[in-house]
Amino acid sequence: MREMGRRDEPAYAGGATFSKVPLVLEPGELVGHDVAIVGAPIDETVSNRPGARFGPRAIRLADVNGTIPMSSPNMDAGIDPFEVLSIVDYGDAPIVPADPARSHEAIRRTVGEIVSAGLVPVVLGGDHSIAHPDVGAVAQAIRPEPLGLIHFDAHADDAAELWGVTRSHGTPMRLLVEEGSVRGSDVVQVGLRGYWPGPEEFAWARGQWFRWYLMQDVYDRGIEQVIDDVIGDLAELRQVFLSVDIDVCDPAYAPGTGTPEPGGLQARELLKAIRRIATEVPIAGMEVVEVSPPYDHAEITAMLAHRVVLEALSGIALRRLGRGPERERHAPR
Ligand SMILES: [Mn+2]
């Protein structure tokens, strides 16, 4: 019998689940698996260029090197995340076109189903407004345990409003703190740069005890030292959400995004940072957002987002095995 989600079929043929993992659509069938990929295809809440609603589909299909039938070992980590972890694709949240409020409700409910079943949700955006339901659903599920938030982004996304709109991709971090889903002191941001937000937002973030590492800190000190600090900042927490806005990378590596900002991370810096964090920090949930395929070229951005997820899965797998980040790497002679 043919079925969706066969790891031994070519990447370009058959079903379009994330890296050919099995498709699961019933909450009851999630139980027993480790990780669920889920799409949140909305972009009604952007302040500039749209298109991120096409992100989940593009990221799922961006496994351009093809799925390797028997094994896909991470060359640096020395393990195959698909062997260590039981990973399924939970389809897309049943969003409602042109109704961001109902779409957010659907995303919150869908992510909640995944966490309630004991899996780590990996949400493919969608614009960054989905951080509100994504992180909120995980926080709700683990309460009263506090949830940390590591946020890679060019922008802080902590405005009170944009043009008077509070449900926006520029506001989720403030919404999460104000509603009590996350404490400001448990938020760490990496890669901020450019010309937004401004003094009001930074003053608010400072008042909430946010920590942040500007892109300038990465230039000055190097990504490894910054990630050392990020991991140290949240060392007390047992549950951390990892939010990756693809615009944290330089537009050279992520042109397909709504609000690109020159001067960002290199792809290799982000990939290494994500694997390290997923290996050393207990990840309770993750999202990769703001991939906008209409602005992409040669699938550069979608491929990067796909690999961001693979590095996170590899890190989670290493952590499950109780291994360090590079114990098994294939080092050159
Ligand atoms: Mn963002």
Side-chain angles (χ1 to χ4, degrees):
M1 192 182 77
R2 294 190 297 168
E3 58 184 290
M4 290 279 284
R6 281 177 37 222
R7 294 265 301 151
D8 61 349
E9 73 185 2
Y12 53 83
T17 62
F18 182 89
S19 281
K20 300 292 180 183
V21 299
L23 180 66
V24 166
L25 294 175
E26 294 302 323
E29 295 175 12
L30 289 168
V31 178
H33 300 290
D34 300 310
V35 175
I37 313 287
V38 64
I42 71 165
D43 62 11
E44 287 88 347
T45 28
V46 299
S47 55
N48 195 5
R49 309 190 302 181
R53 69 180 61 189
F54 304 109
R57 184 165 289 173
I59 298 167
R60 282 190 175 101
L61 293 173
D63 201 354
V64 288
N65 285 328
T67 310
I68 298 147
M70 298 307 157
S71 159
S72 311
N74 183 310
M75 198 174 292
D76 295 305
I79 49 96
D80 178 351
F82 296 96
E83 275 180 20
V84 177
L85 303 169
S86 179
I87 304 167
V88 296
D89 192 320
Y90 197 42
D92 287 345
I95 53 82
V96 183
D99 194 334
R102 283 164 70 199
S103 291
H104 277 194
E105 275 174 34
I107 294 165
R108 187 179 295 266
R109 193 170 60 245
T110 306
V111 173
E113 288 164 359
I114 295 169
V115 187
S116 301
L119 287 76
V120 175
V122 174
V123 187
L124 311 178
D127 73 60
H128 216 159
S129 72
I130 67 168
H132 185 209
D134 290 348
V135 181
V138 176
Q140 170 77 30
I142 68 168
R143 203 160 280 154
E145 180 85 31
L147 180 65
L149 176 60
I150 298 176
H151 172 202
F152 282 84
D153 205 324
H155 315 94
D157 295 356
D158 58 359
E161 47 82 19
L162 282 176
W163 289 285
V165 178
T166 52
R167 191 188 298 277
S168 159
H169 74 158
T171 60
M173 305 313 161
R174 188 172 306 213
L175 292 171
L176 286 165
V177 170
E178 286 185 339
E179 75 186 9
S181 286
V182 178
R183 299 181 299 206
S185 55
D186 294 336
V187 177
V188 184
Q189 300 173 307
V190 182
L192 309 181
R193 63 187 185 276
Y195 302 87
W196 189 88
E200 190 277 329
E201 287 79 12
F202 277 105
W204 177 84
R206 195 169 280 113
Q208 298 293 328
W209 300 97
F210 273 41
R211 278 168 280 201
W212 58 83
Y213 299 92
L214 303 178
M215 199 57 219
Q216 191 65 52
D217 293 318
V218 179
Y219 302 152
D220 292 344
R221 300 168 53 217
I223 186 72
E224 287 289 341
Q225 283 65 42
V226 167
I227 299 303
D228 284 345
D229 287 356
V230 169
I231 292 169
D233 288 340
L234 299 182
E236 305 299 313
L237 294 173
R238 291 184 293 183
Q239 308 264 11
V240 174
F241 193 98
L242 177 57
S243 177
V244 181
D245 186 326
I246 206 70
D247 73 24
V248 74
C249 274
D250 193 273
Y253 306 95
T257 194
T259 50
E261 185 61 51
L265 290 177
Q266 297 184 38
R268 67 187 187 193
E269 292 175 319
L270 178 64
L271 293 171
K272 176 82 185 300
I274 295 301
R275 187 173 78 243
R276 225 193 119 195
I277 287 169
T279 307
E280 299 184 36
V281 173
I283 298 298
M286 175 185 184
E287 64 189 4
V288 183
V289 302
E290 299 283 351
V291 173
S292 178
Y295 292 100
D296 208 2
H297 305 273
E299 299 180 68
I300 295 169
T301 317
M303 284 191 292
L304 176 59
H306 182 274
R307 282 338 198 207
V308 165
V309 174
L310 283 199
E311 291 303 322
L313 295 174
S314 297
I316 292 169
L318 281 168
R319 189 175 174 84
R320 292 276 169 99
L321 294 171
R323 295 198 198 155
E326 293 177 279
R327 184 78 49 86
E328 300 287 320
R329 72 178 288 169
H330 297 290
R333 288 172 194 274

